[in-house]
Every structure is written in C-alpha cells, then in structure tokens.
Amino acid sequence: MSETLERWGSKRAFILAVTGAAVGLGNIWRFPYVAGENGGAAFLLIYVAFVLLLGIPVMMAEILIGRAGRRGPMQALGALAAEAGATPHWRWLGLFGALTVFCILSFYSVVSGWSIEFLVASVNGSFNGASAAEIGAGFEAFLANPGLQIFNHSLFLFMTMTVVAAGVAKGLERLNNLLMPLLYGLLLLLAGYASTTDGFGTALAWLFLPSFEALTPSVVVHAMGHAFFTLAVGACALMAYGAYMPEEQSLPRAAVAVAVLDISVALLAGIAIFSVVFAQGMDPADGPGLMFVTLPIAFSELPWGSVWLSVFFLLLLLATWTSAINLAEPMVATLQGLGLRRSISTAIVALSVWLIGLLSALSFSTLAEFRPLLGRNIFELVSSIPPDIFLPLGGLMIAIFAAWVMPRERVVSALGAGENGYIMWRIIIRWVSIPLTFVVLLAGLL
Ligand code: PHE
C-alpha cells in the first residue's frame, strides 16, 4: 500500500482544492431553498454561527487526521488509533463517511444533471422571453420526465468518475484555479444586477433581519446539517484531501479562508435568487426548484441574457463537478485501501451510485408516490437525512477522535499552528463544538 501519496503543488492549490469541494450545489442550490423553507434570516444567522463554532474547528480536525495519517480515511484512522493505543474500531468511521457520501452523491448527481439540462437549454436560448410561470412549468415537466432525469444523471456521473479514475490532484488543481474566480465574479455581477431590481430591498430584509418566531428546533437542526454539508465536513471526504496537504501549511488559516469563501458564495447566490423571488412575487419556500426557476428569469432580463445564463450554468456545472469528485474520492480511496485497483474501485463506486441515484432521478415521476419513511420520497430522504444527521454525526466522531484520542504531539504538528494555536483549537473543539453538535443532534433525533 502506498503510504506517502502525491502532494498538492502549493498551499494555494490546497486551499483551492478544499474550496472546490466546499463550493457547489450546497451554496448555490441548497442554501437558498433550505433557507427559504426555514425562515430566511433566522436560518442564515444560525447557519453562520454553526460554521464558525462547529464547521471550522471540525474541518480542521478532519483535515489534520488525514494529514497526520497520510493515507485513505479508514487506514489513517486505524493507524492513528493504534498509535494512540485506542481501539482499531475507529477505522469504521471511515466507512461511515463513505456511506454518507454515497447517499449524498446519489442525489447530488441527479441535481447536477439538472444543470446540464439547463446549460443546454440556455445555450439554445430556450428561456428567451419566457415568463416566470412558463419557466416554472418547464422545470416541472422536466422533473416529471424519467428518461431525461436518468440521462442527465448518468452523464454527470460519468464525467465525475472519469476524473476520479485518473487520480485527483493534478487535474483538479488546474480546474479550480480558473473556476473559482470566474464563478465568484459572475455571482458578484448577478448580485449587482439584483440590487437594481424591485425585490432587492425585500430580499435583504428577508435574509438579514431575523424574526425569532421563525426560530424553531427544526430550523436549528437544518442549519447545523447545512453548515456541515456546505463545508464538505463530516464524511471524511476532506480527510482524504488532507493526506495530500503540503508539510509547512497552517491549517487554521486554510480552514478560515475556505469558510469565508464558502459563506460569501452562498450569500451572493442568496441575494441574487431572493431578489428575483420577491420581484416576481414567488414563494421563497418553493423547494428544490428555486434556483432553477429564478435564475433563468433574472438573467433573461439582462442584456445578452442567454449568454450570461449559459456561462452561469457552465460554471455551476464545473463547481458541482469538483464537489462530486470530492464526494467520490473517499469511497474510491476506501476500496483501494482494501487492496482493489483504482480503476476497479472507481467502476464499483460509479455503478452503485448510478443505481441508487436512479431512485432519486425517478422520485419526481415513476417513484413519486414511493414514500418509504416519514412520508418522504427517496429524493427527499437522501437529500435531507444524510446531510442533516449523518454529516453531524460523522463530524462529532471525527472531532472526538482528534480532540480526545490522538496523541497531542501528532495533533500539534498536523495542525501547523504552533502550541498556542493548538490550545485555542482544543478549547473550542472540546468545550464548544463537541457538546453543541451532540445537543443539536440529540434534539433533532428526539
Ligand atoms: N460541500 C458540497 C456542496 O456544497 C457538498 C459536499 C458535501 C461535498 C460533503 C463533499 C462532502 O455542494
């Protein structure tokens, strides 16, 4: 088994790779619709607080485990547990992470497939001059078309798995370098345009002035799940990336940089989307279609609308692509760690995610009435339970492992923040992040 893996080319490359994993559907698609369903500003406030109190410290814990172990998640956890004299069962945490990303990737691929469809439609100018109602109806019809859902899901998964099969580091580095600044620039432009629309004031108030009646326990649970989801924390996916981290880099700085970028992408997307929602008199709680319906409307009102819209969907597709690659990596790394070849591991993961993903792809048509749990169909189940419950649970175990189990010297050196930085991190993770995640999870399960 290879112990010393390839390394990211530079510190910047590492930050970009983690940002690439973090920024994706979570920011642009999931944040607006989950915030829309959970009261807007109250949700935003709690989610940002969770990013600071849990997301960042646990992200550091997760990456430092990978960095100290320098192997795939299961092997890293097992080796570090043995070193600390703890039970080797910690390695199963790696498997739990792989299971979590498996569920997530199964719906992620379906929704990313929607971006492919929308990219093609905007290149063809299909949204030109269409009204909000027509775009909404078009989206519903697209969801209800099993063939198209399966086709786009398959295509996206194929794109993802080809990169994964080739090995991650080199290709991703180049892609992220270009993609992140472009995506950010385009969202800035869009938010700037949104500020000239009628809905802008209402959107700002709705996003930034919390009304505390809106703050229910379920909002808190969703906000915590979303904090983990959007940062890509809790599934050992970043752990796999930590294994490639350069020796001399400071982890806290990298984690804070990623979190700031991640939140700001979500905010820009939120401002753009909700300005349209309010300008058009739409309902913020409209569910998973929110972004797909609002942004074509917003862009169609700009000069050169369909060109901008095409660029936007292209960038979105690339952003989800880099996240999906990160989602697939821990599973492939796990199988590889068990002794399978990379190509075989990738093929197994691809095929099984494809199959399970079909259940989500068909949740809007053939399987719409198949509601095995809590009255929810498969898409609704896999897009809520793994992010809201599995990620925080995995994050909790990761935090406990790094904060209480690993030998102190290993953590200090893998954190790369000196003795003082270590003490600060340890106080926060032991006495804030771990208890808080535990309490919210418990509240969510009860
Ligand atoms: N953070 C990604 C997004 O926001 C999703 C993700 C979750 C990626 C968990 C990896 C692990 O789209």
Side-chain angles (χ1 to χ4, degrees), residues 33 36 40 72 91 107 129 138 162 228 236 257 271 303 379 387-388 422:
Y33 101 79
R91 32 200 283 272
F107 80 86
T162 333
F228 280 97
C236 304
I271 291 172
F379 180 87
D388 290 344
Y422 165 71

PDB file of all heavy atoms in Angstrom, residues 33 36 40 72 91 107 129 138 162 228 236 257 271 303 379 387-388 422:
ATOM      1  N   TYR A  33     -32.736  27.260  -1.086  1.00  0.00           N
ATOM      2  CA  TYR A  33     -34.036  26.613  -0.891  1.00  0.00           C
ATOM      3  C   TYR A  33     -34.246  26.151   0.544  1.00  0.00           C
ATOM      4  O   TYR A  33     -35.358  26.241   1.074  1.00  0.00           O
ATOM      5  CB  TYR A  33     -34.306  25.540  -1.961  1.00  0.00           C
ATOM      6  CG  TYR A  33     -34.099  24.086  -1.611  1.00  0.00           C
ATOM      7  CD1 TYR A  33     -35.059  23.389  -0.874  1.00  0.00           C
ATOM      8  CD2 TYR A  33     -32.987  23.385  -2.058  1.00  0.00           C
ATOM      9  CE1 TYR A  33     -34.880  22.046  -0.578  1.00  0.00           C
ATOM     10  CE2 TYR A  33     -32.806  22.053  -1.776  1.00  0.00           C
ATOM     11  CZ  TYR A  33     -33.746  21.382  -1.030  1.00  0.00           C
ATOM     12  OH  TYR A  33     -33.571  20.059  -0.740  1.00  0.00           O
ATOM     13  N   GLY A  36     -35.046  29.201   2.376  1.00  0.00           N
ATOM     14  CA  GLY A  36     -36.413  29.570   2.012  1.00  0.00           C
ATOM     15  C   GLY A  36     -37.454  28.795   2.803  1.00  0.00           C
ATOM     16  O   GLY A  36     -38.482  29.335   3.207  1.00  0.00           O
ATOM     17  N   GLY A  40     -35.551  32.054   6.313  1.00  0.00           N
ATOM     18  CA  GLY A  40     -34.627  33.098   5.849  1.00  0.00           C
ATOM     19  C   GLY A  40     -33.575  33.498   6.869  1.00  0.00           C
ATOM     20  O   GLY A  40     -32.692  32.733   7.220  1.00  0.00           O
ATOM     21  N   GLY A  72      -5.606   6.873   2.986  1.00  0.00           N
ATOM     22  CA  GLY A  72      -7.058   6.949   2.863  1.00  0.00           C
ATOM     23  C   GLY A  72      -7.678   6.949   4.264  1.00  0.00           C
ATOM     24  O   GLY A  72      -7.051   6.476   5.218  1.00  0.00           O
ATOM     25  N   ARG A  91     -11.542   2.807  12.761  1.00  0.00           N
ATOM     26  CA  ARG A  91     -11.499   2.804  11.299  1.00  0.00           C
ATOM     27  C   ARG A  91     -12.881   2.759  10.653  1.00  0.00           C
ATOM     28  O   ARG A  91     -13.084   3.240   9.545  1.00  0.00           O
ATOM     29  CB  ARG A  91     -10.647   1.671  10.736  1.00  0.00           C
ATOM     30  CG  ARG A  91     -10.610   0.402  11.534  1.00  0.00           C
ATOM     31  CD  ARG A  91      -9.402  -0.408  11.134  1.00  0.00           C
ATOM     32  NE  ARG A  91      -9.661  -1.055   9.863  1.00  0.00           N
ATOM     33  CZ  ARG A  91     -10.238  -2.233   9.748  1.00  0.00           C
ATOM     34  NH1 ARG A  91     -10.602  -2.896  10.824  1.00  0.00           N
ATOM     35  NH2 ARG A  91     -10.433  -2.747   8.565  1.00  0.00           N
ATOM     36  N   PHE A 107     -27.945  11.715  -4.871  1.00  0.00           N
ATOM     37  CA  PHE A 107     -28.878  12.768  -5.310  1.00  0.00           C
ATOM     38  C   PHE A 107     -28.126  13.946  -5.926  1.00  0.00           C
ATOM     39  O   PHE A 107     -28.636  14.666  -6.768  1.00  0.00           O
ATOM     40  CB  PHE A 107     -29.799  13.242  -4.171  1.00  0.00           C
ATOM     41  CG  PHE A 107     -29.170  14.225  -3.208  1.00  0.00           C
ATOM     42  CD1 PHE A 107     -29.167  15.586  -3.465  1.00  0.00           C
ATOM     43  CD2 PHE A 107     -28.584  13.768  -2.043  1.00  0.00           C
ATOM     44  CE1 PHE A 107     -28.575  16.484  -2.581  1.00  0.00           C
ATOM     45  CE2 PHE A 107     -27.997  14.656  -1.149  1.00  0.00           C
ATOM     46  CZ  PHE A 107     -27.988  16.012  -1.416  1.00  0.00           C
ATOM     47  N   GLY A 129     -37.325  35.385 -23.385  1.00  0.00           N
ATOM     48  CA  GLY A 129     -38.681  35.917 -23.384  1.00  0.00           C
ATOM     49  C   GLY A 129     -39.706  35.078 -22.631  1.00  0.00           C
ATOM     50  O   GLY A 129     -40.895  35.394 -22.658  1.00  0.00           O
ATOM     51  N   GLY A 138     -41.978  24.601 -17.184  1.00  0.00           N
ATOM     52  CA  GLY A 138     -40.971  23.835 -17.923  1.00  0.00           C
ATOM     53  C   GLY A 138     -40.135  22.985 -16.984  1.00  0.00           C
ATOM     54  O   GLY A 138     -39.827  21.818 -17.277  1.00  0.00           O
ATOM     55  N   THR A 162     -14.839   9.673 -14.492  1.00  0.00           N
ATOM     56  CA  THR A 162     -13.666   9.643 -15.362  1.00  0.00           C
ATOM     57  C   THR A 162     -12.492  10.374 -14.706  1.00  0.00           C
ATOM     58  O   THR A 162     -11.351   9.914 -14.755  1.00  0.00           O
ATOM     59  CB  THR A 162     -13.952  10.370 -16.703  1.00  0.00           C
ATOM     60  OG1 THR A 162     -15.322  10.299 -16.950  1.00  0.00           O
ATOM     61  CG2 THR A 162     -13.202   9.800 -17.844  1.00  0.00           C
ATOM     62  N   PHE A 228     -22.438  21.721   7.955  1.00  0.00           N
ATOM     63  CA  PHE A 228     -21.532  20.610   7.636  1.00  0.00           C
ATOM     64  C   PHE A 228     -21.530  20.332   6.132  1.00  0.00           C
ATOM     65  O   PHE A 228     -20.490  20.151   5.514  1.00  0.00           O
ATOM     66  CB  PHE A 228     -21.950  19.336   8.385  1.00  0.00           C
ATOM     67  CG  PHE A 228     -21.501  19.309   9.825  1.00  0.00           C
ATOM     68  CD1 PHE A 228     -22.342  19.673  10.849  1.00  0.00           C
ATOM     69  CD2 PHE A 228     -20.206  18.913  10.146  1.00  0.00           C
ATOM     70  CE1 PHE A 228     -21.921  19.656  12.178  1.00  0.00           C
ATOM     71  CE2 PHE A 228     -19.773  18.879  11.469  1.00  0.00           C
ATOM     72  CZ  PHE A 228     -20.629  19.256  12.486  1.00  0.00           C
ATOM     73  N   CYS A 236     -15.456  12.438   6.086  1.00  0.00           N
ATOM     74  CA  CYS A 236     -14.067  12.006   5.819  1.00  0.00           C
ATOM     75  C   CYS A 236     -13.620  12.320   4.388  1.00  0.00           C
ATOM     76  O   CYS A 236     -12.604  11.803   3.928  1.00  0.00           O
ATOM     77  CB  CYS A 236     -13.873  10.515   6.087  1.00  0.00           C
ATOM     78  SG  CYS A 236     -14.318  10.032   7.746  1.00  0.00           S
ATOM     79  N   ALA A 257     -10.062  30.565   5.505  1.00  0.00           N
ATOM     80  CA  ALA A 257     -10.178  31.085   4.143  1.00  0.00           C
ATOM     81  C   ALA A 257     -11.288  30.360   3.383  1.00  0.00           C
ATOM     82  O   ALA A 257     -12.119  30.988   2.710  1.00  0.00           O
ATOM     83  CB  ALA A 257      -8.842  30.925   3.412  1.00  0.00           C
ATOM     84  N   ILE A 271     -28.674  36.488  -2.386  1.00  0.00           N
ATOM     85  CA  ILE A 271     -29.149  37.829  -2.725  1.00  0.00           C
ATOM     86  C   ILE A 271     -29.732  37.845  -4.139  1.00  0.00           C
ATOM     87  O   ILE A 271     -30.822  38.362  -4.385  1.00  0.00           O
ATOM     88  CB  ILE A 271     -27.990  38.855  -2.604  1.00  0.00           C
ATOM     89  CG1 ILE A 271     -27.630  39.019  -1.130  1.00  0.00           C
ATOM     90  CG2 ILE A 271     -28.360  40.191  -3.228  1.00  0.00           C
ATOM     91  CD1 ILE A 271     -26.382  39.844  -0.876  1.00  0.00           C
ATOM     92  N   PRO A 303     -29.240  42.374 -20.554  1.00  0.00           N
ATOM     93  CA  PRO A 303     -28.811  42.319 -21.957  1.00  0.00           C
ATOM     94  C   PRO A 303     -27.891  41.106 -22.154  1.00  0.00           C
ATOM     95  O   PRO A 303     -27.117  40.782 -21.246  1.00  0.00           O
ATOM     96  CB  PRO A 303     -28.055  43.633 -22.148  1.00  0.00           C
ATOM     97  CG  PRO A 303     -27.913  44.263 -20.799  1.00  0.00           C
ATOM     98  CD  PRO A 303     -28.820  43.582 -19.853  1.00  0.00           C
ATOM     99  N   PHE A 379     -35.861  10.914  -3.027  1.00  0.00           N
ATOM    100  CA  PHE A 379     -35.082  12.143  -3.191  1.00  0.00           C
ATOM    101  C   PHE A 379     -35.139  12.972  -1.917  1.00  0.00           C
ATOM    102  O   PHE A 379     -34.129  13.474  -1.426  1.00  0.00           O
ATOM    103  CB  PHE A 379     -35.608  12.965  -4.374  1.00  0.00           C
ATOM    104  CG  PHE A 379     -34.840  14.247  -4.588  1.00  0.00           C
ATOM    105  CD1 PHE A 379     -33.703  14.259  -5.374  1.00  0.00           C
ATOM    106  CD2 PHE A 379     -35.256  15.431  -3.989  1.00  0.00           C
ATOM    107  CE1 PHE A 379     -32.973  15.435  -5.555  1.00  0.00           C
ATOM    108  CE2 PHE A 379     -34.533  16.610  -4.168  1.00  0.00           C
ATOM    109  CZ  PHE A 379     -33.389  16.611  -4.954  1.00  0.00           C
ATOM    110  N   PRO A 387     -27.330  14.709   4.899  1.00  0.00           N
ATOM    111  CA  PRO A 387     -26.750  15.993   5.294  1.00  0.00           C
ATOM    112  C   PRO A 387     -27.092  16.394   6.732  1.00  0.00           C
ATOM    113  O   PRO A 387     -26.232  16.868   7.459  1.00  0.00           O
ATOM    114  CB  PRO A 387     -27.377  16.993   4.310  1.00  0.00           C
ATOM    115  CG  PRO A 387     -27.784  16.182   3.138  1.00  0.00           C
ATOM    116  CD  PRO A 387     -28.169  14.839   3.676  1.00  0.00           C
ATOM    117  N   ASP A 388     -28.339  16.222   7.134  1.00  0.00           N
ATOM    118  CA  ASP A 388     -28.741  16.771   8.437  1.00  0.00           C
ATOM    119  C   ASP A 388     -28.353  15.886   9.621  1.00  0.00           C
ATOM    120  O   ASP A 388     -28.179  16.380  10.734  1.00  0.00           O
ATOM    121  CB  ASP A 388     -30.259  17.019   8.473  1.00  0.00           C
ATOM    122  CG  ASP A 388     -30.649  18.187   7.575  1.00  0.00           C
ATOM    123  OD1 ASP A 388     -29.746  18.956   7.187  1.00  0.00           O
ATOM    124  OD2 ASP A 388     -31.844  18.332   7.252  1.00  0.00           O
ATOM    125  N   TYR A 422      -2.825  25.507  18.826  1.00  0.00           N
ATOM    126  CA  TYR A 422      -3.346  24.195  19.215  1.00  0.00           C
ATOM    127  C   TYR A 422      -4.242  24.305  20.452  1.00  0.00           C
ATOM    128  O   TYR A 422      -5.343  23.750  20.488  1.00  0.00           O
ATOM    129  CB  TYR A 422      -2.183  23.226  19.480  1.00  0.00           C
ATOM    130  CG  TYR A 422      -2.604  21.982  20.230  1.00  0.00           C
ATOM    131  CD1 TYR A 422      -3.374  21.003  19.598  1.00  0.00           C
ATOM    132  CD2 TYR A 422      -2.279  21.813  21.574  1.00  0.00           C
ATOM    133  CE1 TYR A 422      -3.788  19.874  20.289  1.00  0.00           C
ATOM    134  CE2 TYR A 422      -2.689  20.684  22.272  1.00  0.00           C
ATOM    135  CZ  TYR A 422      -3.448  19.721  21.625  1.00  0.00           C
ATOM    136  OH  TYR A 422      -3.873  18.615  22.318  1.00  0.00           O
TER     137      TYR A 422
END
